[in-house]
Amino acid sequence: MGKYILKRLVDLLPTIFVVAIIVFVITRLIPGDPAAVMLGPQASVEDIQELRDDLGLNEPLHTQFLQYIGDLVQGDFGVSLTYNQPVISLIMDRFPNTLVLAFSALVIALLIGIPAGIISASKQNSVMDYTVMVISLIGVSIPIFWLGVMLVLYFSVNLGWFPATGMGTMDEGFITYIKHLVLPSITLATIPMATFARITRSSMLEVISQDYIKTARAKGLKEFFVIGKHAFKNALTPILTVLGMQVSALLGGAVLTETIFSWPGMGRLIVDAIDKRDFVVVQGTVLFIAIIFVLVNLLIDVLYKIVNPRVNYSSGKGGEGK
Amino acid sequence: MSDVILKVENLDVHFRSSASIVKAVNGVNITLKKKETLGIVGESGSGKSVTATALMRLLPKGIGSIPNGKITFNGKDILSLSDKEMRDVRGNEIAMIFQDPMTSLNPVFTVGDQIEEAVRTHQQMSKKEAKKKAIEMLKVVGIPEPEKRVKMYPHEFSGGMRQRVMIAIALSCNPKLLIADEPTTALDVTVQAQILELMKSLQEKNDTSIIMITHDLGVVWEMCDKVIVMYAGNTVESGTVETIYENPLHPYTWGLLESQITKNTLNGDKLPAIPGSPPDLRNPIPGCNFADRCPYAKEICSTTKPQPIEVELGHIVSCHFQTNSNRLERKERVYIE
Amino acid sequence: MTSTQPSSMETREVKKKEINERSFIRKLLKNRIAAFGLFVTIFMTIIAIFAPLIATHAPNEMDITHSLLGAGVDGHFLGTDNYGRDLFSRIVYGARISLIVGVSAVLFGAVFGTFLGLIAGYFGGKLDSLIMRTMDGLFAFPFILLAITLMTVLGQGLVNVIIAIGVANIPGFARIVRGQVLSVKEEEFIEVTRSLGATHGRILFQHVLPNCLAPLIVYGTMSIAGAIISEAALSFLGLGVQPPTASWGSILKDGKDFLVLNPQMATFSGLAILITVLGINLFGDGLRDALDPKMKV
Ligand SMILES: Nc1ncnc2c1ncn2[C@@H]1O[C@H](COP(=O)(O)OP(=O)(O)OP(=O)(O)O)[C@@H](O)[C@H]1O
Ligand code: SF4
Ligand SMILES: [Mg+2]
């Protein structure tokens, strides 16, 4: 297993390289001058030229590229002009906050979505089933930035139960901390939760009619174990696939959620940077998030092997990219 | 106390499907003694599996029901047991193996886990003991290198080996009754014989009773003491294997025999089917269920249901023309051209 | 190969298609929920097309003296926004932006994605790994982040929104089509056509592509829903269409700042998004069940 992980890590290098190239291409090749965008419409030609020089945009492309890759390899994501700080330190300041938000959203989504899907499948066509299906369909269709605003409207503005914005610190007490976390994490959890419910239901339905479920029942197992152990472990593979995709959705959703709730995370950082036209920060943060995503998917690939013994350990092909 | 282990009286099974009721089993009777083997034969859809599933009380919830009948197993009234009591029976006193060993083992657990689970569900046993028991059971069912094999997953086993594992699971708690639903249908001919042999020897060792569900009368002659022939949810003929072998009386049984013979002479893999298809179980017909396909049918057959008659001791037949006073003359090669 | 073989193959195919079509329509109609989804989608499309007839005011007509009116006041069905523009009319016009962006961006992604997926899957080899590696790379970016990044470079504007969301849609289509191509490629009739001397182009567009249609339609429908949400998200972040153009996302963005004074702004613009997206998703679900039951989204 250790060897497998190492091998996959090495496999990831080209993907990360491609990701870096994409960011480079977007920033340098696509029509539009980042320097002009950064300085805004009122900027003078001289100012733009000066900034272009600063950013190295006047060098030949291949020099720019080598410079860029060279910096990245050293963990240098550039220096923000508006914050006057290396981008990586800006990211490292905010990344833990995004992690807290994304993680609590993921926990909520898994803890509610998966059981809901299981119950729905084991009571197919019941009122319970239909209720879960309708709610989860609304859940996958809801614009979360709207949901967030509505939660603020009802639970902060009208009822005053939770703060509308900001992140509590542990110094202010655990309760305050949690109170700040509730609305943003529910907002961010909604889509993954609904998606988990749907995928769990459909893969459980597929599994429940299998012969080995009959075997499990014929052994005299409690229904709880038949469903929760024998059926669920078989239904896990598609759920894991979705988990991989949801991590991406969570990181994307964080941008919106953090904006609504002024959550001091990476998403907020990106949006602020866009407002300030700090292109270097946008580019670095986006690249950082993509790398995180790639690493998370490695983790999920490893989980595939644990869950599914039929996947070959050595080939490293198993659950990739489905 | 008699040594009757299972008595099924007038068992009916119904399924609710969209807006109609499927009467899948009608008035089946079974008497099975200790160490005896009962064969249930019949074409696809005749209700064999449903009968077996009903005995385990594993009919799909909310869809399948047992409106009539009584099942007495080992002195217990099965149909009035609580869910918990029933779970204690399943896998412990009555075990079951299925047709397709490729799909009846859970692919994501090792075979060891699956045997251990069966044992530990019904017996107080440490994990270590259960593991030992699993290895022992694999040895019993003739799997080489059991210490290595327990740690493997089902996909690393051949079909025959998997069926052996299923048997190991089924027999791990020393059940009094083993229900085998077409245990060899999915296997190669040589492997089939080995599995049947294994079942027979284990039965002798443990005094297990067996219900053997099959399409194949050859298996019945080989393995069973008694046989019931099912058609469209009804028992059309039942008796000891000797009587039925020597003196089959129901026209449907004759059809099955003929397809058996045709198969043997053609050296085919599959049983050739009797032409026609069984009636729709949603709309019970007034006459004999077999009337549409029966070469001996007369007018009365489509208007009146034949009643079961004990034509000789223990030999029961349901046909208008097979009575104590009257016999049909059996014709050769009337079913399959 | 005898010459009769392809023709018998053809008849077999035609027959298969006919049966599929019949059962497809039957299934779709039987599925009342999907029909409801289709109804909602058509309803929204009609609103978008006939916006000038439905709207009670010009969507960009400002009247600062009548800003933030409550619902029903002064003939403003849903009230007015912070610039005194009629909220109902703006939401009605917003349907245009949503649907135009939703459909165009998905078409953009579908055309390029399908093309890339086709040649990657069909020719395989180095070309395949080059294309798919790039697609994997694009997939590493959360959808909305990719669109955001593109928008920061491209700058605001309707066409740019379409391009940004369209590009973000490419990898999804490429993957689906490539997967289909790989499975179709194995089939006998492709071999036969090739042995009969058909060009790559002909095989791709006459034989391979039609076989990808079902999953493409299903995926495309679902993607429209996603693209509509993305457009709203971009506008919500101030990266979408140029103000004062009415877009549901930008109305919501403004509404967020006036939650206490005029909650209708945020509420109804979001509801419009939710209803449209829900309708399309319901329809897409039904399409999937009818066309391609094995697909899971
Ligand atoms: N879940 C169900 N819902 C509705 N009807 C059912 C269900 N299960 C079985 N049946 C009906 O019961 C009848 C008998 O089925 P059963 O599985 O017992 O046949 P069988 O004799 O075991 O056939 P085979 O040899 O193919 O296994 C079938 O015709 C079927 O219509
Ligand atoms: S009752 Fe009639 S139809 Fe039925 S088996 Fe006898 S002869 Fe055939
Ligand atoms: Mg059966």
Side-chain angles (χ1 to χ4, degrees):
Chain A
M1 187 59 102
K3 229 166 114 191
Y4 169 75
I5 296 177
L6 203 70
K7 184 182 171 322
R8 294 288 287 126
L9 264 173
V10 174
D11 275 356
L12 284 185
L13 290 178
T15 311
I16 292 180
F17 187 64
V18 170
V19 164
I21 294 178
I22 290 171
V23 171
F24 182 81
V25 168
I26 290 179
T27 52
R28 311 294 149 99
L29 294 185
I30 287 186
D33 183 349
V37 173
M38 280 171 81
L39 293 174
Q42 275 89 25
S44 68
V45 179
E46 290 76 37
D47 287 346
I48 292 179
Q49 271 314 319
E50 196 178 324
L51 184 59
R52 284 184 64 87
D53 273 339
D54 277 356
L55 293 173
L57 293 176
N58 288 332
E59 309 272 335
L61 264 182
H62 63 270
T63 319
Q64 285 185 40
F65 182 70
L66 288 178
Q67 179 75 40
Y68 164 78
I69 294 294
D71 287 350
L72 278 186
V73 170
Q74 295 163 29
D76 180 357
F77 282 62
V79 176
S80 156
L81 297 179
T82 47
Y83 291 89
N84 251 322
Q85 261 190 60
V87 173
I88 191 72
S89 77
L90 286 171
I91 292 176
M92 282 311 160
D93 276 352
R94 278 135 181 107
F95 182 51
N97 299 342
T98 298
L99 213 57
V100 166
L101 178 60
F103 188 74
S104 46
L106 187 61
V107 169
I108 294 174
L110 289 170
L111 285 186
I112 299 179
I114 290 183
I118 293 177
I119 292 170
S120 198
S122 55
K123 302 200 169 13
Q124 200 192 356
N125 295 330
S126 65
V127 176
M128 181 75 192
D129 183 21
Y130 288 127
T131 314
V132 170
M133 287 320 292
V134 169
I135 293 179
S136 61
L137 198 76
I138 294 175
V140 294
S141 307
I142 213 163
I144 59 163
F145 40 97
W146 177 67
L147 176 69
V149 171
M150 289 296 108
L151 289 177
V152 168
L153 176 59
Y154 286 100
F155 294 101
S156 304
V157 176
N158 289 355
L159 295 172
W161 289 359
F162 301 104
T165 57
M167 178 176 166
T169 59
M170 279 297 182
D171 302 339
E172 300 165 75
F174 186 66
I175 302 285
T176 316
Y177 186 78
I178 294 295
K179 269 191 164 176
H180 278 90
L181 193 53
V182 172
L183 295 185
S185 41
I186 290 177
T187 305
L188 190 53
T190 303
I191 289 181
M193 178 161 63
T195 313
F196 285 133
R198 279 158 64 88
I199 193 72
T200 305
R201 178 181 182 271
S202 73
S203 55
M204 283 296 281
L205 280 181
E206 216 161 88
V207 169
I208 278 173
S209 57
Q210 299 289 321
D211 284 348
Y212 50 77
I213 297 303
K214 271 199 294 185
T215 307
R217 291 206 174 99
K219 276 182 183 174
L221 292 186
K222 285 199 180 109
E223 193 63 15
F224 183 80
F225 291 111
V226 174
I227 300 292
K229 180 179 170 190
H230 283 262
F232 184 61
K233 196 167 177 202
N234 278 281
L236 262 181
T237 308
I239 295 176
L240 277 180
T241 309
V242 166
L243 177 64
M245 300 191 290
Q246 287 310 306
V247 169
S248 175
L250 275 175
L251 292 173
V255 177
L256 296 159
T257 311
E258 291 178 3
T259 305
I260 299 164
F261 293 96
S262 303
W263 190 267
M266 275 193 304
R268 182 79 216 151
L269 177 64
I270 295 178
V271 175
D272 281 348
I274 291 172
D275 267 357
K276 294 178 181 149
R277 304 166 196 279
D278 189 336
F279 203 77
V280 185
V281 171
V282 176
Q283 170 187 324
T285 317
V286 168
L287 181 61
F288 182 82
I289 289 180
I291 293 173
I292 295 290
F293 175 74
V294 172
L295 290 176
V296 167
N297 271 282
L298 164 72
L299 191 73
I300 285 174
D301 258 12
V302 174
L303 284 178
Y304 266 123
K305 317 280 144 161
I306 295 172
V307 161
N308 193 342
R310 282 164 297 190
V311 177
N312 192 345
Y313 277 84
S314 51
S315 82
K317 279 227 164 98
E320 204 180 17
K322 258 176 283 176
Chain B
M1 116 133 215
S2 75
D3 54 355
V4 170
I5 189 87
L6 174 73
K7 195 163 179 69
V8 176
E9 295 158 84
N10 291 317
L11 181 73
D12 288 357
V13 180
H14 292 180
F15 288 103
R16 212 161 18 140
S17 70
S18 51
S20 63
I21 289 181
V22 179
K23 299 188 172 169
V25 171
N26 297 302
V28 163
N29 290 295
I30 294 172
T31 308
L32 187 63
K33 292 184 189 159
K34 204 168 161 179
K35 255 180 122 164
E36 249 182 0
T37 302
L38 167 77
I40 305 183
V41 280
E43 293 172 301
S44 213
S46 53
K48 308 181 297 290
S49 298
V50 170
T51 307
T53 314
L55 296 182
M56 294 286 267
R57 265 183 46 191
L58 282 175
L59 294 168
K61 262 203 209 102
I63 303 171
S65 64
I66 304 178
N68 273 311
K70 189 164 184 212
I71 303 172
T72 318
F73 169 76
N74 198 24
K76 283 183 263 223
D77 180 359
I78 287 286
L79 295 182
S80 63
L81 293 183
S82 72
D83 282 355
K84 158 123 194 27
E85 289 166 328
M86 192 59 220
R87 280 202 304 273
D88 290 340
V89 171
R90 273 183 217 133
N92 189 24
E93 296 183 80
I94 309 180
M96 196 160 176
I97 58 181
F98 301 98
Q99 171 171 352
D100 192 351
M102 293 307 194
T103 56
S104 40
L105 287 167
N106 196 325
V108 299
F109 295 104
T110 63
V111 298
D113 282 344
Q114 297 186 55
I115 304 174
E116 285 163 42
E117 184 185 42
V119 183
R120 276 162 59 94
T121 303
H122 299 291
Q123 289 165 26
Q124 293 290 343
M125 205 182 258
S126 73
K127 251 203 135 80
K128 222 166 149 191
E129 288 171 304
K131 178 142 238 150
K132 254 171 72 190
K133 175 83 182 174
I135 295 173
E136 181 199 319
M137 285 312 296
L138 287 181
K139 204 177 289 167
V140 166
V141 296
I143 288 183
E145 297 183 273
E147 290 85 1
K148 222 175 93 193
R149 287 287 187 166
V150 270
K151 293 190 209 109
M152 293 191 172
Y153 288 92
H155 71 273
E156 297 168 277
F157 287 68
S158 71
M161 284 293 170
R162 287 192 218 187
Q163 200 59 302
R164 285 173 193 265
V165 172
M166 277 301 289
I167 294 174
I169 292 174
L171 298 185
S172 59
C173 293
N174 269 321
K176 298 191 170 61
L177 172 62
L178 172 67
I179 303 176
D181 191 347
E182 308 190 34
T184 59
T185 311
L187 303 174
D188 292 342
V189 186
T190 44
V191 183
Q192 276 185 21
Q194 289 166 8
I195 294 289
L196 292 177
E197 203 50 52
L198 174 70
M199 288 177 66
K200 226 153 98 180
S201 73
L202 291 175
Q203 172 179 36
E204 233 129 78
K205 226 165 53 198
N206 303 326
D207 292 349
T208 324
S209 307
I210 296 181
I211 293 181
M212 172 73 72
I213 294 174
T214 176
H215 286 207
D216 190 342
L217 281 166
V219 171
V220 173
W221 309 149
E222 191 76 13
M223 295 278 296
C224 303
D225 305 301
K226 291 175 175 169
V227 57
I228 66 180
V229 180
M230 287 189 71
Y231 180 72
N234 289 339
T235 309
V236 292
E237 181 164 14
S238 65
T240 62
V241 161
E242 289 78 28
T243 19
I244 309 272
Y245 186 74
E246 306 270 318
N247 186 24
L249 290 178
H250 197 280
Y252 177 66
T253 314
W254 293 346
L256 290 178
L257 284 164
E258 200 177 306
S259 75
Q260 189 78 32
I261 291 162
T262 318
K263 176 194 153 191
N264 292 346
T265 51
L266 291 177
N267 241 332
D269 272 353
K270 270 195 164 162
L271 287 171
I274 302 170
S277 52
D280 185 349
L281 296 173
R282 278 171 299 187
N283 309 311
I285 49 173
C288 173
N289 277 333
F290 194 48
D292 275 356
R293 303 163 74 187
C294 179
Y296 305 91
K298 302 236 169 66
E299 221 177 284
I300 182 175
C301 299
S302 49
T303 55
T304 316
K305 274 223 179 311
Q307 295 304 314
I309 292 167
E310 188 160 7
V311 290
E312 49 187 321
L313 192 66
H315 185 182
I316 298 170
V317 185
S318 312
C319 171
H320 286 301
F321 308 112
Q322 299 285 24
T323 63
N324 293 320
S325 52
N326 187 29
R327 284 292 144 89
L328 271 176
E329 184 162 343
R330 185 175 170 189
K331 300 179 223 164
E332 294 294 320
R333 312 205 132 260
V334 282
Y335 294 92
I336 296 151
E337 62 275 3
Chain C
M1 282 295 127
T2 58
S3 61
T4 54
Q5 222 154 356
S7 76
S8 78
M9 207 77 74
E10 238 158 64
T11 52
R12 203 185 62 198
E13 243 191 297
V14 168
K15 217 156 114 199
K16 211 170 87 190
K17 218 177 244 164
E18 246 173 40
I19 295 169
N20 277 345
E21 237 159 68
R22 261 207 351 253
S23 67
F24 163 67
I25 292 169
R26 205 192 58 222
K27 275 188 205 154
L28 202 57
L29 287 182
K30 224 176 91 183
N31 191 341
R32 268 180 237 151
I33 297 176
F36 175 72
L38 181 62
F39 170 78
V40 171
T41 311
I42 293 175
F43 181 76
M44 283 298 176
T45 314
I46 291 176
I47 288 187
I49 295 173
F50 297 105
L53 299 179
I54 298 167
T56 51
H57 294 70
N60 297 333
E61 182 189 292
M62 294 197 217
D63 180 0
I64 299 290
T65 53
H66 289 91
S67 67
L68 298 172
L69 294 180
V73 179
D74 268 1
H76 294 289
F77 189 45
L78 292 176
T80 58
D81 71 1
N82 46 322
Y83 294 107
R85 296 174 293 198
D86 180 65
L87 185 56
F88 174 74
S89 305
R90 285 183 70 73
I91 290 180
V92 166
Y93 271 89
R96 288 191 155 182
I97 299 295
S98 283
L99 292 179
I100 289 173
V101 173
V103 173
S104 324
V106 169
L107 277 180
F108 184 102
V111 168
F112 286 97
T114 304
F115 177 73
L116 290 172
L118 273 181
I119 58 176
Y122 186 77
F123 294 108
K126 283 231 173 66
L127 188 63
D128 182 27
S129 15
L130 178 69
I131 293 175
M132 290 328 282
R133 275 286 180 196
T134 312
M135 294 301 127
D136 286 349
L138 283 172
F139 248 123
F141 299 90
F143 189 94
I144 189 69
L145 262 192
L146 191 53
I148 287 175
T149 316
L150 287 164
M151 284 310 289
T152 50
V153 187
L154 293 170
Q156 283 188 318
L158 181 63
V159 175
N160 290 349
V161 171
I162 292 173
I163 294 174
I165 299 176
V167 169
N169 261 307
I170 291 176
F173 280 99
R175 270 197 187 175
I176 286 206
V177 170
R178 176 176 175 270
Q180 289 293 315
V181 173
L182 288 184
S183 66
V184 171
K185 214 166 85 172
E186 298 306 314
E187 275 172 40
E188 202 177 352
F189 71 92
I190 298 289
E191 288 290 314
V192 175
T193 3
R194 192 183 296 167
S195 71
L196 289 175
T199 61
H200 288 312
R202 226 193 101 180
I203 294 177
L204 274 176
F205 288 96
Q206 289 200 343
H207 298 279
V208 179
L209 193 56
N211 277 283
C212 304
L213 269 185
L216 269 181
I217 289 172
V218 175
Y219 185 76
T221 309
M222 303 281 201
S223 300
I224 292 178
I228 289 177
I229 290 202
S230 302
E231 183 277 323
L234 287 177
S235 296
F236 179 76
L237 292 173
L239 287 170
V241 294
Q242 214 110 36
T245 315
S247 142
W248 291 338
S250 54
I251 300 172
L252 180 51
K253 172 186 156 70
D254 295 342
K256 179 182 63 136
D257 299 329
F258 299 95
L259 271 188
V260 182
L261 293 172
N262 187 345
Q264 302 96 280
M265 279 170 77
T267 309
F268 288 100
S269 54
L271 264 184
I273 305 171
L274 173 60
I275 291 170
T276 311
V277 169
L278 188 62
I280 297 175
N281 277 338
L282 286 172
F283 178 58
D285 258 12
L287 265 182
R288 182 198 53 211
D289 292 346
L291 276 175
D292 193 6
K294 275 196 222 89
M295 197 168 144
K296 274 185 240 158
V297 177

